[in-house]
Amino acid sequence: MKALVLEEKGKLALRDFEIPGTLGPRDVRIKTHTVGICGSDVHYYTHGRIGHFVVQEPMVLGHEASGVVLACGDAVVDLKPGDRVCMEPGIPDPTSRASKLGLYNVDPAVRFWATPPVHGCLTPEVIHPATFTYKLPDHVSFAEGAMVEPFAIGMQAALRARIQPGDIAVVTGAGPIGMMVALAALAGGCARVIVADLAQPKLDIIAAYDGIETVNIRNQPLAEAVATATHGWGADVVFECSGAAPAVLHMHELARPGGAIVLVGMPVDPVPVDIVGLQARELRIETVFRYANVYDRALALMASGKVDLTPLISATVPFEDSIAGFDRAAEARDSDVKLQIAMPE
Ligand code: ZN
């Protein structure tokens, strides 16, 4: 079976590759249909590592996937062959303390697709636990199904923020995750979400949604724009999604007294934080690492029509051209949000 294999930093190959594994009683075998290219996949391709996760052996990329169930283990009751599904890529140890607390995303033993040494899903078939495989509602397409994974991070951020109806939020950074966070915040009850970035094409894409306002920080200081929008009071929630040091240093200036900061973006290196600035407004700080228990909620929002992620799909490339797709993703064009790979029929 062919797979998209990261042989080493900077070198991809589309070649025969068997991922070891057998169908256990609680597993399903899935024919992959659509796989999104994530910033982390691209980062492994271009840098060979993310923090202490280092690619040491050839690894199959991809973790944002939808597909069709081919076969079910004997103990699987909720799924059957032919079901259209999407897959949650992080598998924790169900007996761990973190899992028992409902925090399975921070289980130290979690095995996450395309995070060394675990192989991803850019291969025509995968075996996956049924409990981390979700049926797609009838009107949710395979392409949207492959968007649930990045949207899940937005859902986690919105849940951590504890949004109140009518809140005003700010999102710093209009990458794919910043956009997902903005849409989840709107769905979670924010009246207005102000999204800030330097890249106008990205801002234009997200500005097409009702309830989103944009600020190009090349043209206007963000603190000034937020002060104007909130009559000098500040935003109820600030979602830091850029990971950029200046944004982190100044994030407290955007929040109202007693508001919340949700740290979503991941700076490559440690960055300075203005502790006194945070204290002086008694801001609540939340952090987000992936997500837990949000797939059902995400799919419910997509099925209801409250969240439409299709405008964020910039292009779909066939599996045979997936290396070119990765090269395009590595260019990080400002007009691209999400690139997806259509797996072989
Ligand atoms: Zn991802």
Side-chain angles (χ1 to χ4, degrees), residues 75-127:
V76 175
V77 290
D78 296 337
L79 293 168
K80 59 181 187 315
D83 281 345
R84 301 162 62 252
V85 293
C86 66
M87 295 80 97
E88 183 173 347
I91 309 303
D93 170 359
T95 67
S96 69
R97 287 180 77 165
S99 293
K100 287 194 285 185
L101 286 167
L103 304 169
Y104 63 82
N105 53 319
V106 286
D107 177 8
V110 73
R111 293 174 54 79
F112 195 96
W113 273 346
T115 301
V118 183
H119 292 298
C121 60
L122 272 163
T123 179
E125 285 182 20
V126 292
I127 292 171

Side-chain angles (χ1 to χ4, degrees), residues 38 40 63-64 149 153:
C38 178
S40 69
H63 62 262
E64 304 178 355
E149 198 279 333
I153 298 163

Side-chain angles (χ1 to χ4, degrees), residues 241-332:
C241 299
S242 71
V248 174
L249 189 59
H250 293 287
M251 60 192 179
H252 63 279
E253 297 166 10
L254 309 172
R256 69 164 169 85
I261 303 253
V262 184
L263 296 171
V264 186
M266 291 182 163
V268 176
D269 297 308
V271 295
V273 173
D274 184 342
I275 303 280
V276 176
L278 296 163
Q279 288 169 326
R281 296 183 191 198
E282 217 170 66
L283 300 178
R284 173 167 58 88
I285 310 288
E286 299 279 348
T287 62
V288 166
F289 184 70
R290 296 173 182 157
Y291 39 76
N293 300 309
V294 303
Y295 262 57
D296 288 314
R297 291 171 181 277
L299 283 165
L301 283 172
M302 291 160 77
S304 73
K306 285 199 169 69
V307 172
D308 178 10
L309 302 176
T310 47
L312 305 185
I313 301 167
S314 307
T316 307
V317 298
F319 184 53
E320 309 82 75
D321 299 338
S322 45
I323 296 175
F326 265 78
D327 286 332
R328 173 169 165 177
E331 284 174 35

Side-chain angles (χ1 to χ4, degrees), residues 174-175 179 196-206 214-218 332-335:
M179 293 191 192
D197 203 284
L198 290 159
Q200 194 58 40
K202 294 183 190 178
L203 293 173
D204 291 343
I205 293 165
I206 196 67
T214 56
V215 176
N216 188 323
I217 55 173
R218 232 182 258 290
R333 299 179 193 175
D334 284 344
S335 53

Side-chain angles (χ1 to χ4, degrees), residues 22-30 69-81 126-131 133:
T22 51
L23 187 73
R26 290 183 169 76
D27 295 335
V28 286
R29 184 186 300 279
I30 300 159
V69 174
L70 292 173
C72 298
D74 292 341
V76 175
V77 290
D78 296 337
L79 293 168
K80 59 181 187 315
V126 292
I127 292 171
H128 203 60
T131 191
T133 304

